[in-house]
């Protein structure tokens, strides 16, 4: 159980850090350059980020938390899984990915994309951080 709880904490921390880095440095950095360059860079980032390391953290966070809740019987891990599933997974699938696709297809300008995408990414960051805290509390109750 301890290994599963620590894995949950690690995955939530990795995902929180990824989303945080985008909101506090990547997007402001892109916003400081020419919009056409920023758009090209974001398209490249969106393509390159789709790799096994992302999927491990993105899919693994809520699944590990759910598994830790089942194995350990702790509501804290169930709560971490729920917050992550709604605030990270659902927001990503319903909002951020469609925006990425629209940017890639040229149906959304970078000027439209950046503020909205960053706002929703910050929501993902907060949700993942909340999941991290919940998993941390769950770990202390083992």
């Amino acid at each position: 159980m301890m290994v599963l709880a620590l894995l949950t904490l690690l995955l939530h921390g990795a995902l929180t850090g990824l989303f945080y880095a985008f909101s506090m440095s990547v997007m402001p950095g892109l916003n400081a350059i020419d919009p056409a360059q920023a758009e090209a860079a974001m398209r490249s980032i969106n393509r390159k980020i789709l790799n096994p390391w992302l999927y491990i953290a993105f899919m693994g966070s809520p699944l590990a938390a759910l598994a830790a809740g089942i194995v350990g019987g702790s509501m804290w891990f169930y709560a971490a899984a729920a917050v992550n599933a709604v605030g990270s997974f659902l927001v990503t699938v319903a909002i951020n990915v469609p925006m990425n696709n629209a940017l890639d297809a040229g149906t959304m300008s970078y000027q439209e994309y950046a503020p909205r995408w960053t706002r929703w990414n910050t929501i993902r960051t907060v949700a993942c951080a909340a999941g991290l805290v919940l998993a941390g509390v769950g770990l202390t109750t083992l």
Side-chain angles (χ1 to χ4, degrees), residues 66-132:
L66 180 61
I70 291 168
V71 171
S74 172
M75 293 306 293
W76 294 105
F77 290 106
Y78 286 124
V83 167
N84 188 290
V86 172
S88 173
F89 185 82
L90 186 61
V91 168
T92 298
V93 171
I95 298 169
N96 289 86
V97 168
M99 289 179 64
N100 293 345
N101 294 340
L103 185 72
D104 194 50
T107 58
M108 178 179 274
S109 73
Y110 185 78
Q111 292 88 337
E112 291 175 86
Y113 172 89
R116 183 171 173 228
W117 190 95
T118 304
R119 186 171 39 258
W120 283 102
N121 185 68
T122 301
I123 291 168
R124 297 188 301 180
T125 304
V126 170
C128 286
L132 177 64

Side-chain angles (χ1 to χ4, degrees), residues 3 14 19 23 27 39 43 48 53-55 57 64 82 93 98 103-104 129 131 133:
V3 170
F19 291 153
S23 284
M27 295 308 288
E39 186 172 319
R43 284 180 177 152
K48 294 297 180 183
W53 293 110
L54 170 69
Y55 295 128
V93 171
L103 185 72
D104 194 50
V133 169

Side-chain angles (χ1 to χ4, degrees), residues 7-95:
L7 178 64
T8 299
L9 199 66
L10 174 68
L11 292 172
H12 274 78
L15 199 55
T16 301
L18 173 69
F19 291 153
Y20 175 75
F22 264 88
S23 284
M24 62 80 60
S25 64
V26 174
M27 295 308 288
L30 292 177
N31 292 340
I33 64 175
D34 177 76
Q37 291 176 322
E39 186 172 319
M42 195 65 186
R43 284 180 177 152
S44 180
I45 290 167
N46 286 337
R47 289 181 188 125
K48 294 297 180 183
I49 201 167
L50 299 176
N51 65 69
W53 293 110
L54 170 69
Y55 295 128
I56 289 169
F58 183 67
M59 302 296 285
S61 295
L63 293 176
L66 180 61
I70 291 168
V71 171
S74 172
M75 293 306 293
W76 294 105
F77 290 106
Y78 286 124
V83 167
N84 188 290
V86 172
S88 173
F89 185 82
L90 186 61
V91 168
T92 298
V93 171
I95 298 169

